[in-house]
Amino acid sequence: LVPVQSSNSKKKRADAKNTQSKKKKPCVKGISYQLPLESRKSSFAIFEAQPTISLETQLKYTQKGHAALRSFLPNDVIQQLRFELIPHAAKHALAAWRQKVEVQLADSSEPYHRQNAWSITNNLDSIEKCHDFLESLGMDPTTDLPFLQYFNTWRTSSSNVPVCPTVTESCLSQYLAHTASVLMDCSSVRLYQDSLFHKRPGDGWTPWHSDARMAPFDTSKMVTFWIPLQNVPSLEDGGTGLIFVDSSHSDFALPYWNGVDGKEYDRLEGRYDNGSGDDNGGVSDHMPLAIGDITAHSGWTLHCAESATSLEKGQDRYALAITYVDGRAEVREDVLTWNSGNISSSEKGDKEDVWSFKSWVQEVEPRSQFRHSLVPMVWPVDMRE
């Protein structure tokens, strides 16, 4: 599936056709949509639907820490997401490159880099300068990075208009929020973030990691829906979908005895057994994924993705990840530990997603129940903000 670029004539016909019905669209004024009104009404009705998550899927998620939800979203929704998100990524590429530089500085062995990560990054006013700086750190920006990442595209602009309205509808929908409640087995759900992942041809592999280490919450209940915006082939055919370590979300011994970066993380394939008898070390995936298929994984499930060396030019892989947490999850104190205004001084967790939560995390009281518009309650419906 590729983004559909309408010709001027098609656009004029579509505009003329929808002139009388614009005010009836279930969307915010000022936003143009790729899909015709009737198609949009039909496909986007899914967001108000009650999800049907089989007991088998719930059991797999509970046991393994991940599951596939086949044909979960209509093709038209995925098409509209591509239509909005790919131009957004192109427009905000500099921010994505700055984020990659800041992550490297936050993990640097040089105190100066760690303590001045923000100021250094903010002075990089072009993608070329970001490339040059990464090279000065010994990195190849074309092969050493796993992806470019864009946070919270669901939020509104300064004029209170959704930047990517279909992402907004998806993130705030009762369809996804209720599904999150079922899988996490919790009565209330908070939207944490969305992230667009752009894996370019030649990008490196995504190392083993767990999402909850990057979040500011103290909770075991977090779920991420990984939504590919194109077909994903099998792993053998070059697929770059997520690969999971089965049941790693319930492996309390790994971080307890080995810390967060011990050498045991380099030999995970020999640590687990998924009970299938195929001697794959408990590592599995859900590829191939068709349009509309998505995966769900726990915040503590270890996962990775292969490199994009097999992708040809123009075959960039885009995926939207939407993450929810238990509505009662509290913010930890350590994420508020700042040094000269730099959150990268925090000693716990991983700093990869600081860009996602730094805009609100200091405005809430740690170790307390809270409300904040940037991380809203989305389930149940009567708790929505």
Side-chain angles (χ1 to χ4, degrees):
L1 183 68
V2 297
V4 178
Q5 301 295 333
S6 300
S7 65
N8 289 334
S9 59
K10 287 183 179 179
K11 184 176 186 301
K12 289 178 180 178
R13 290 198 298 271
D15 288 344
K17 181 179 179 180
N18 293 324
T19 296
Q20 300 301 320
S21 57
K22 279 184 178 179
K23 293 184 179 180
K24 299 178 183 180
K25 287 187 177 182
C27 59
V28 178
K29 293 180 180 180
I31 298 297
S32 61
Y33 288 86
Q34 177 195 30
L35 300 175
L37 176 60
E38 291 307 314
S39 176
R40 180 174 172 77
K41 281 183 177 179
S42 174
S43 296
F44 284 60
I46 192 71
F47 291 139
E48 299 303 319
Q50 295 294 319
T52 302
I53 312 299
S54 69
L55 289 177
E56 180 184 7
T57 298
Q58 294 178 51
L59 180 61
K60 286 182 177 178
Y61 180 85
T62 300
Q63 290 180 330
K64 305 295 186 182
H66 60 92
L69 304 175
R70 304 289 180 182
S71 302
F72 191 71
L73 291 173
N75 189 316
D76 284 346
V77 171
I78 303 300
Q79 188 175 346
Q80 183 65 32
L81 287 170
R82 283 185 63 92
F83 181 74
E84 295 171 8
L85 285 169
I86 293 179
H88 177 85
K91 181 179 179 180
H92 297 278
L94 176 57
W97 280 103
R98 282 176 166 173
Q99 188 261 348
K100 288 303 177 188
V101 171
E102 186 172 310
V103 168
Q104 297 304 315
L105 292 175
D107 290 334
S108 173
S109 60
E110 297 291 334
Y112 176 80
H113 283 165
R114 294 196 305 273
Q115 296 168 9
N116 296 278
W118 283 6
S119 60
I120 293 173
T121 301
N122 288 338
N123 285 327
L124 301 175
D125 57 8
S126 71
I127 294 175
E128 182 180 6
K129 288 183 179 179
C130 292
H131 287 190
D132 291 342
F133 195 90
L134 288 170
E135 289 174 350
S136 74
L137 298 176
M139 296 188 66
D140 185 339
T142 61
T143 59
D144 288 344
L145 296 179
F147 47 73
L148 293 177
Q149 187 172 8
Y150 304 81
F151 290 107
N152 294 315
T153 61
W154 76 270
R155 294 178 184 169
T156 58
S157 67
S158 57
S159 57
N160 204 33
V161 174
V163 176
C164 297
T166 306
V167 182
T168 304
E169 291 183 61
S170 301
C171 290
L172 301 180
S173 71
Q174 69 175 32
Y175 185 59
L176 280 175
H178 192 182
T179 303
S181 173
V182 170
L183 294 179
M184 292 191 294
D185 189 26
C186 58
S187 59
S188 61
V189 174
R190 182 188 303 278
L191 172 63
Y192 167 40
Q193 67 177 21
D194 75 79
S195 298
L196 174 65
F197 292 94
H198 177 195
K199 205 169 186 71
R200 306 160 301 156
D203 275 347
W205 81 300
T206 304
W208 290 113
H209 67 283
S210 57
D211 298 338
R213 279 184 55 195
M214 305 176 188
F217 303 101
D218 179 3
T219 184
S220 295
K221 294 187 175 184
M222 173 182 289
V223 63
T224 294
F225 298 109
W226 194 81
I227 307 170
L229 303 186
Q230 64 285 302
N231 290 311
V232 179
S234 67
L235 190 61
E236 295 74 18
D237 291 332
T240 58
L242 300 184
I243 304 169
F244 305 96
V245 179
D246 296 336
S247 303
S248 55
H249 68 308
S250 59
D251 184 0
F252 302 106
L254 180 63
Y256 185 86
W257 295 116
N258 302 283
V260 295
D261 292 307
K263 63 181 180 181
E264 288 302 306
Y265 289 87
D266 295 328
R267 51 191 299 272
L268 294 174
E269 289 85 349
R271 184 178 180 89
Y272 302 97
D273 176 8
N274 64 5
S276 64
D278 55 13
D279 195 31
N280 67 354
V283 176
S284 62
D285 65 83
H286 299 287
M287 294 175 273
L289 295 167
I291 296 295
D293 292 347
I294 75 173
T295 62
H297 63 270
S298 166
W300 290 107
T301 299
L302 288 164
H303 56 285
C304 72
E306 288 288 356
S307 65
T309 53
S310 64
L311 297 182
E312 302 291 338
K313 184 177 181 180
Q315 293 183 332
D316 303 45
R317 190 267 277 157
Y318 293 90
L320 176 66
I322 303 176
T323 301
Y324 300 91
V325 297
D326 183 352
R328 293 182 56 81
E330 298 176 353
V331 169
R332 307 188 315 273
E333 302 94 333
D334 64 280
V335 298
L336 306 180
T337 306
W338 296 66
N339 181 15
S340 300
N342 196 335
I343 199 170
S344 67
S345 62
S346 172
E347 296 179 356
K348 295 182 180 179
D350 192 302
K351 304 4 175 251
E352 185 87 15
D353 288 0
V354 167
W355 273 47
S356 173
F357 60 78
K358 66 182 181 181
S359 60
W360 61 266
V361 74
Q362 285 201 318
E363 298 176 4
V364 303
E365 186 71 24
R367 303 297 177 182
S368 67
Q369 302 296 302
F370 70 94
R371 293 290 187 111
H372 198 289
S373 61
L374 297 184
V375 277
M377 301 292 287
V378 291
W379 185 261
V381 173
D382 58 10
M383 288 186 68
R384 286 175 176 269
E385 301 175 26

